[in-house]
Amino acid sequence: MESLADTLWDVVICGTGLQQSLLALALSRSDKKVLHIDPNDFYGGAEAAFSLQEVESWVEKVETGKEGLFEAASVKKLGGDTGLSFPRAYSLALAPQLIHARSTLLSQLVSSRAYRQVEFLAVGSFSIFKPSPDSSQKPTLVRIPSTREDVFSTTAISAKAKRGLMKFLKFVLDYDSTPQTDTWQPHVDAPLTEFLLKEFKMDQELQTYIITLTLSLNGKINTRDGLAVIHRHLSSMGMYGPGFAALYPKWGGLSEIAQVSCRAGAVGGAVYMLGTGIKTMNDKDDPIVIELSSGDTIKTHKVVRANESATDRFGINRLVAVVGSSLKSLFESTVEGAPKPAVAIVAFPAGSLSTATGEASTSPVYLSVHSSDTGECPANQSVLYFTTGSEHASQDLLQQALDSFLAALSGDTVPQCLYKLQYKQLQSSAHSQANGSIFDFAPPASALAFDDSILQSVQDAWKMVLGDEAVEEEYLTFADREGAMDDDESV
């Protein structure tokens, strides 16, 4: 086997985030010489999943500025180690995202047959937190009706509101065809709430239900984008089984897909080196000369890396909590024949929470509740992932959301919080782009649902690497579809 320095690489991929890993998957049958490195000693980049021990090491790196997309990280064990299992019993995701059943990512994983190495779990109910009207009552969680059966069975809205909601759901399923387009095109850039009020006479409560389904972190999504997201949600319902519209990969979400993709790259001949990054690079000539942090000097025709140097950064705030309860009431199947869900979504609308200074929240908070079936915690525990786009008193807001959620649960005993991880994930308006023989991926998005648009960037990088050899029909399609997952195959 040739040494690193003696090999002329076709491409060096730096980073094992989802985009770089999907590129490795796409190149795994290309016969190209691929060197895949990562300055971190773990796979997944900003989408990684960690044991408790790995979390502590990661927090230390964030504190020293060695994790460029994160800041303000802290970890706290409440009550010491009491109630916690051993560190590797946990797999906490840095950026958990649900994947709608209609996502192009799933069809590409099917085409590549990589889906066989990923266990997908059902995402169950979407609920809204409602604060108590007075101190004598508990706050509540109200399930959002998003199917015909849900609308007819719910007691949370009036008969008149049900008719309006049914009219809207029917409209959205066919929103991109005439005459529906004539209805919403005049409002294309207006807030979705304005469109719902004007065209469907929806009150604020129903508007909140609809906005929650968009998973918008600021609650201000426009009509065009909002209708597209809700259409994706509704049209995904029942695709892989009754009662759910989205999936979540077991063992840490997108981190698991990244690792499966890297394994496919290794099987295809790629060489992997963790704990190794790019120290210097001379890209004036072909081949490009790179000095690695390991001390090796290598040559390559192409380089693909992540862009983490944007200066116009903004951020979202996250809180991850482990609680000592299975929260089984949140993971019950509500449709006959449906699989038991492992994830439930709870939204805290703007104004439903207040900070420690008594100020009402101006942005929503979203909570993704994960059962032990996700493999992210031991049995009889759950992991709570809180996210907000609010910059103002955000950590207070997330703590208020945690306390309010636990108070809203049924039963006389409030579950104990055993562990908390808080951090800020930085974002950027930078776009993925090629510059000669170098391709820079944009930093990962903060969306709560996987955004298929990043797949175009992966395909663009694939085309750059292969050049004239790139054949559109062969992208992420390495074999015939024999044995591929059928539309009606259950999770």
Side-chain angles (χ1 to χ4, degrees), residues 10-11 13 19 22-24 26-27 30 32 108 301-304 433-439 441 455-476:
D10 292 301
V11 61
I13 304 174
Q19 295 177 97
L22 289 174
L23 175 61
L27 293 171
S30 66
K32 294 295 182 182
Q108 291 185 351
H301 292 300
K302 311 284 184 180
V303 174
V304 178
Q433 61 181 0
N435 183 11
S437 298
I438 300 174
F439 192 97
F441 281 123
L455 299 175
Q456 183 60 54
S457 299
V458 177
Q459 188 168 3
D460 290 344
W462 175 81
K463 289 179 180 178
M464 186 202 76
V465 173
L466 292 187
D468 294 338
E469 299 176 39
V471 179
E472 198 85 13
E473 291 75 13
E474 293 181 1
Y475 174 68
L476 276 178

Side-chain angles (χ1 to χ4, degrees), residues 23 45 64 85 101 109 236 258 287 313 341 344 356 367 397 415 418 422 475 482:
L23 175 61
T64 58
S85 185
L109 292 175
S236 292
R313 293 181 174 189
L367 163 61
L397 193 62
L418 306 174
Q422 292 183 267
Y475 174 68
E482 179 184 352

Side-chain angles (χ1 to χ4, degrees), residues 342-360:
V343 176
I345 306 296
V346 179
F348 300 78
S352 65
L353 299 170
S354 58
T355 65
T357 58
E359 298 174 84

Side-chain angles (χ1 to χ4, degrees), residues 420-436:
K420 288 196 307 182
L421 166 66
Q422 292 183 267
Y423 54 95
K424 184 173 184 178
Q425 181 180 357
L426 300 173
Q427 304 296 297
S428 172
S429 59
H431 299 286
S432 298
Q433 61 181 0
N435 183 11

